[in-house]
Amino acid sequence: MSIRLTTEQIERYSRQMMLRELGGKGQIRLRQARVLVIGAGGLGSPAAFYLAAAGIGTLGLVDRDQVELSNLQRQILHWTRDIGRLKVESAKEKLSELNAEVEITVYPARLEQDNAINILAGYDFIVDGSDNFPTKFLVNDTAVKLGIAFNHAGIVRLQGQTMTVIPGKSACYRCLFKEPPPPEEILSCQQAGILGAVAGTIGSLQATEAIKYLAGFEEGLLTDRLLTYDAKTMKFHDVEVGRDPNCGACGNAKLGDSTISTTA
Ligand SMILES: [Zn+2]
């Protein structure tokens, strides 16, 4: 299938098409790409905005929540007038106004064991902007099983972390963290707080990883390493991550379907 860009598309995307790494070829690849964003919140907002602006062909959005006043400090897809609306509907409206060419599919659902494969299948890349460990493990295990590349991220207080997984090629999230932490050790945004701009930084990195992967300039992707960001000291660090041959998701000891992950 050959796709040509219109004059208007060439103008809209001109500043990124000028990049040697992307070019017209990369732009067409983005136009043909399908990206699923899990969570239309603090991470999903900046990620989805940049992906829509960059001309991704199809964007899927998964979130079952409604917009609350306390979301607006960081979840920039949603505005004051959206309080009470489904986040996926509020998000779809903003993204369509930004770029009507992007096809947007919404899933007003929580990602669970029994719908994960159906929702994830057919996407080329997944941006995990979920806010809880069971979902992060479920995304990892399902994406590894389906062979879909994805970017993991987490944020709390003034810190964030992110890592990209290419199944079969690089270490996965479970290679690094093995199992979800016990509930009593988990601090949520609600309990620990989060600076909105930190979510913006990490969500933007997630979009960058997706665009690099999809446009075909994979050099320097965040594979086999976890990037950590501390806004308090304003420092980024790289932690090397190796593939675990006994990993429950991508190693020899693969999990059976019934134990693929826990549900929240
Ligand atoms: Zn693994």
Side-chain angles (χ1 to χ4, degrees):
M1 179 171 65
S2 80
I3 285 197
R4 294 179 70 105
L5 298 170
T6 63
T7 313
E8 197 186 314
Q9 285 170 332
I10 291 169
E11 186 176 345
R12 178 185 279 264
Y13 305 119
S14 59
R15 298 302 187 274
Q16 67 192 40
M17 285 172 64
M18 283 172 192
L19 302 172
R20 186 171 43 83
E21 292 82 355
L22 205 131
K25 219 171 162 182
Q27 191 61 50
I28 288 169
R29 291 179 70 155
L30 296 183
R31 183 89 194 93
Q32 293 173 312
R34 295 170 53 85
V35 180
L36 182 69
V37 178
I38 299 174
L43 293 168
S45 286
F49 262 134
Y50 279 118
L51 291 169
I56 295 292
T58 301
L59 266 186
L61 301 170
V62 188
D63 202 311
R64 68 158 182 188
D65 291 340
Q66 294 172 346
V67 179
E68 294 175 20
L69 180 59
S70 64
N71 298 151
L72 304 183
Q73 155 265 7
R74 65 195 179 284
Q75 302 183 12
I76 56 173
L77 272 169
H78 316 300
W79 302 347
T80 306
R81 67 168 196 228
D82 299 313
I83 291 168
R85 291 177 79 190
L86 273 172
K87 285 187 185 177
V88 288
E89 293 300 337
S90 156
K92 184 179 179 175
E93 181 187 88
K94 311 308 177 344
L95 298 170
S96 300
E97 278 188 46
L98 172 60
N99 190 348
E101 286 181 349
V102 181
E103 179 144 341
I104 297 171
T105 308
V106 299
Y107 306 88
R110 187 190 183 100
L111 201 72
E112 309 260 20
Q113 190 75 42
D114 57 5
N115 64 12
I117 286 186
N118 277 340
I119 293 177
L120 268 62
Y123 283 96
D124 303 310
F125 195 91
I126 296 158
V127 170
D128 184 6
S130 67
D131 62 356
N132 65 86
F133 287 101
T135 304
K136 291 179 197 300
F137 277 89
L138 179 60
V139 170
N140 179 75
D141 296 350
T142 311
V144 166
K145 194 183 171 107
L146 296 172
I148 304 171
F150 72 99
N151 177 274
H152 148 83
I155 43 169
V156 69
R157 294 191 171 129
L158 291 161
Q159 294 170 333
Q161 62 179 36
T162 174
M163 166 178 165
T164 293
V165 175
I166 303 178
K169 281 193 185 170
S170 71
C172 82
Y173 180 67
R174 198 180 277 279
C175 287
L176 179 60
F177 293 109
K178 318 294 180 212
E179 296 288 335
E184 63 272 16
E185 286 180 19
I186 298 170
L187 282 173
S188 68
C189 275
Q190 204 178 341
Q191 298 156 319
I194 174 73
L195 189 69
V198 170
T201 301
I202 301 293
S204 298
L205 290 174
Q206 294 194 278
T208 310
E209 288 289 284
I211 289 166
K212 286 181 66 176
Y213 175 82
L214 295 164
F217 56 113
E218 297 186 24
E219 196 189 331
L221 279 175
L222 284 170
T223 46
D224 293 321
R225 61 197 173 106
L226 180 78
L227 185 72
T228 66
Y229 168 51
D230 186 342
K232 196 167 174 179
T233 56
M234 204 42 90
K235 280 184 176 159
F236 285 90
H237 286 290
D238 248 355
V239 183
E240 242 181 79
V241 182
R243 272 188 89 172
D244 174 3
N246 297 314
C247 171
C250 73
N252 303 322
K254 280 183 188 150
L255 298 171
D257 281 356
S258 59
T259 54
I260 192 169
S261 179
T262 52
T263 47

